[in-house]
Amino acid sequence: MNIAVLVIVLIYEVVSIVGIGAFVAYQNKKKGGHEEGGFAFAGGGLPASLVGITLALTLLGSAHNWGTCQNAASMGVIAVWFGIACAVMMVVITQITGPWIRRTGAKTVGEFLGHIFGKRSGIMISSVNAALGIAMTCLEVETIAITLSFLTGWEYTICAVIGGILAMLYVLLAGMKEIAWLNLINAIVMYVALIVVFICLCFELPGGWDAVEATVQSNPDTAWYTSIFGNSALIIGFAIPNALGASLFHGMAQTGYQPVATAKSNKEVKKSLWYAAPINGCFCIIPALIGLAAFSIVAYRDAGSMMMTPAMIMDLLPKPVIALLAAGFLGVDLSSFAVMALAPATCISHDMYTLYKPNASEKTKTRMSRVLIIIIGVLSILICNFQPAPVDMVNWIFSFGVPVFVMALIGIWWKRSETAAVITFLVSWIAVCAWSTFGLQNYLGWVNFNVNYVSLICAVVVGVITTAMLPGKKGLFVGKKA
């Protein structure tokens, strides 16, 4: 057990989280405590830099760090395409869907869908968004636990409990303002950590990076591991559906919209792209190389695809570098957990609780959000040990957002039929579950036919046909000025 490394990492996380959280909470109290949207939306007053950094780190977590290392061990450096996919996603959120939703004054994506199709559809989407957000918090707790486990050697469950408590503190004290400022610090730490690790590996890898390349290319089954384009099967089955799923899901999900709602204006949202895209999109490069290096050393393969990279890092790198990397990776996962937990809490407190109490005060919503975040945190700790690989789980989650994006486009620019929307959502989600659960992919021999393709085809076909056949209103933005 690396006690010194663990102590350094925990001191950094606790001091930064509690210190900044307490300071922001004090500032909020001086300004009146519960200003409109203060906890969930930072009062809607953040500049482009903080919006972009918060958006980048919100959607940069388990699938980017340990998930990319794990992917590189099974498919090579094509794993960086997950980062490329997320850069495309940032364009969609900041330049297209984020400004659209803000234009209606909606605070949640469910409220926005309610403006388009009706309250029933809005509540349905808020409910699904809340469930999927909770699923993603489980992934973040999973990788937080992995980081703590490789530092300490403790049981995974103990590390999940400790990590879950840290994750809840990241958001509980002061909400989105706390997250924004913590993300600014963690963005710097995580990139410094990755660069230092890469430099150290240049000196510490047995035989250097040339040996890594020679090892993987010596085996015909892994010869393409060093190519960013991998092979055609991976482009079709991994790269394209990742870009498709990430962009369409987060483009019309509360997890993608929550940071955007904190901006001063749509102008700041659009400027935030210059921070969000590079910070998020470039992150996967070094984790993919690190994962490939671990795979190239046969001694670490027995640890399994998820744990071989931590095992190599612990053996080859000096303790200060390990501490820096652990702090960076923990910061990434904690930041993702924070908004992934805040998003479903916001959906429930703003969209569902208000059905029961339409005039609920901001103070009441904030209190409820805090309670919900604790409940979500506890659920994540309990469930995180039973999930598949992060990137596999993320893609399955993405597929549920594809029909929401498709129907939002139809309802904005063509025609609004709530019945058509509900039918499309249900048919697409049933198809996703059937494809994922009953092994149809393997039975039909369509191994590379990603679940996001199934969701998109169902959504477009069913959405267009039902909208054309059923009565409805003209599109929400049809005939209106931008």
Side-chain angles (χ1 to χ4, degrees):
M1 182 190 303
N2 291 277
I3 293 293
V5 173
L6 176 66
V7 169
I8 291 170
V9 172
L10 290 181
I11 288 175
Y12 164 74
E13 298 295 352
V14 172
V15 169
S16 61
I17 291 170
V18 175
I20 290 178
F23 177 76
V24 173
Y26 172 72
Q27 292 294 317
N28 286 346
K29 189 174 181 180
K30 281 177 63 178
K31 293 177 181 178
H34 297 280
E35 75 270 27
E36 183 67 26
F39 183 80
F41 307 109
L46 296 186
S49 56
L50 287 180
V51 173
I53 292 169
T54 300
L55 181 60
L57 267 73
T58 293
L59 306 180
L60 193 165
S62 57
H64 284 76
N65 49 36
W66 296 123
T68 297
C69 292
Q70 181 184 22
N71 266 357
S74 59
M75 64 178 66
V77 294
I78 194 176
V80 302
W81 275 81
F82 190 81
I84 296 170
C86 289
V88 175
M89 170 183 70
M90 294 301 165
V91 175
V92 173
I93 293 172
T94 61
Q95 307 303 304
I96 304 173
T97 58
W100 284 353
I101 299 171
R102 286 177 58 94
R103 182 176 160 188
T104 66
K107 291 296 185 182
T108 67
V109 170
E111 184 182 349
F112 177 64
L113 267 292
H115 289 324
I116 300 175
F117 296 111
K119 184 166 285 189
R120 182 176 54 177
S121 299
I123 295 301
M124 174 185 285
I125 296 307
S126 282
S127 302
V128 172
N129 262 253
L132 297 177
I134 293 169
M136 286 189 284
T137 61
C138 295
L139 286 175
E140 302 312 321
V141 173
E142 178 184 348
T143 48
I144 291 168
I146 290 169
T147 303
L148 291 175
S149 180
F150 100 85
L151 280 178
T152 62
W154 292 341
E155 287 187 14
Y156 177 90
T157 304
I158 295 172
C159 294
V161 172
I162 295 171
I165 292 170
L166 281 174
M168 286 184 273
L169 283 175
Y170 203 102
V171 62
L172 279 174
L173 295 177
M176 278 302 294
K177 283 184 182 177
E178 177 188 10
I179 293 169
W181 286 106
L182 281 169
N183 283 354
L184 177 60
I185 296 171
N186 283 322
I188 297 169
V189 171
M190 73 176 186
Y191 268 103
V192 170
L194 285 176
I195 292 168
V196 170
V197 167
F198 180 78
I199 293 171
C200 287
L201 285 176
C202 290
F203 296 99
E204 299 295 338
L205 279 172
W209 290 102
D210 289 339
V212 173
E213 183 178 16
T215 300
V216 296
Q217 289 191 344
S218 65
N219 186 336
D221 294 332
T222 61
W224 41 269
Y225 270 32
T226 55
S227 170
I228 192 173
F229 295 103
N231 57 41
S232 57
L234 285 173
I235 292 292
I236 296 170
F238 174 77
I240 294 174
N242 266 301
L244 179 72
S247 300
L248 301 194
F249 174 76
H250 285 300
M252 201 59 70
Q254 191 62 26
T255 47
Y257 182 62
Q258 193 90 22
V260 169
T262 67
K264 291 179 183 178
S265 64
N266 270 355
K267 183 178 180 181
E268 296 297 307
V269 172
K270 295 196 171 187
K271 284 165 56 180
S272 70
L273 173 66
W274 301 105
Y275 300 90
I279 291 172
N280 189 292
C282 295
F283 185 88
C284 287
I285 296 171
I286 296 179
L289 294 174
I290 297 171
L292 184 64
F295 174 79
S296 72
I297 302 173
V298 177
Y300 297 121
R301 294 183 189 175
D302 290 340
S305 61
M306 177 59 86
M307 295 308 296
M308 69 174 69
T309 303
M312 179 193 72
I313 288 169
M314 292 299 291
D315 282 351
L316 299 185
L317 299 184
K319 289 183 179 180
V321 176
I322 294 171
L324 184 62
L325 180 67
F329 272 21
L330 271 179
V332 164
D333 293 329
L334 291 170
S335 66
S336 291
F337 174 95
V339 180
M340 297 300 179
L342 182 58
T346 302
C347 289
I348 294 169
S349 61
H350 281 69
D351 293 345
M352 300 176 202
Y353 180 66
T354 50
L355 292 174
Y356 171 64
K357 284 198 172 182
N359 299 317
S361 67
E362 195 63 35
K363 184 176 181 179
T364 300
K365 292 178 185 177
T366 296
R367 187 187 304 118
M368 171 165 278
S369 292
R370 283 193 167 105
V371 171
L372 288 167
I373 288 166
I374 293 171
I375 294 171
I376 291 167
V378 172
L379 282 173
S380 299
I381 292 168
L382 294 174
I383 298 172
C384 70
N385 201 26
F386 303 99
Q387 296 196 133
V391 176
D392 293 339
M393 183 67 178
V394 163
N395 265 305
W396 186 79
I397 290 171
F398 286 170
S399 65
F400 279 79
V402 172
V404 180
F405 189 97
V406 170
M407 289 309 297
L409 284 182
I410 289 174
I412 289 171
W413 299 113
W414 177 27
K415 180 181 172 185
R416 292 181 283 163
S417 168
E418 185 167 33
T419 303
V422 171
I423 292 172
T424 303
F425 296 152
L426 293 176
V427 170
S428 301
W429 293 337
I430 290 170
V432 163
C433 292
W435 189 259
S436 305
T437 305
F438 300 112
L440 295 178
Q441 197 170 0
N442 294 325
Y443 178 77
L444 296 173
W446 296 356
V447 178
N448 294 315
F449 203 74
N450 190 282
V451 69
N452 285 315
Y453 294 139
V454 175
S455 185
L456 180 63
I457 291 170
C458 284
V460 171
V461 172
V462 177
V464 169
I465 291 174
T466 54
T467 300
M469 292 177 62
L470 296 170
K473 306 173 186 176
K474 69 177 182 179
L476 186 68
F477 290 170
V478 172
K480 295 182 180 179
K481 294 182 179 180

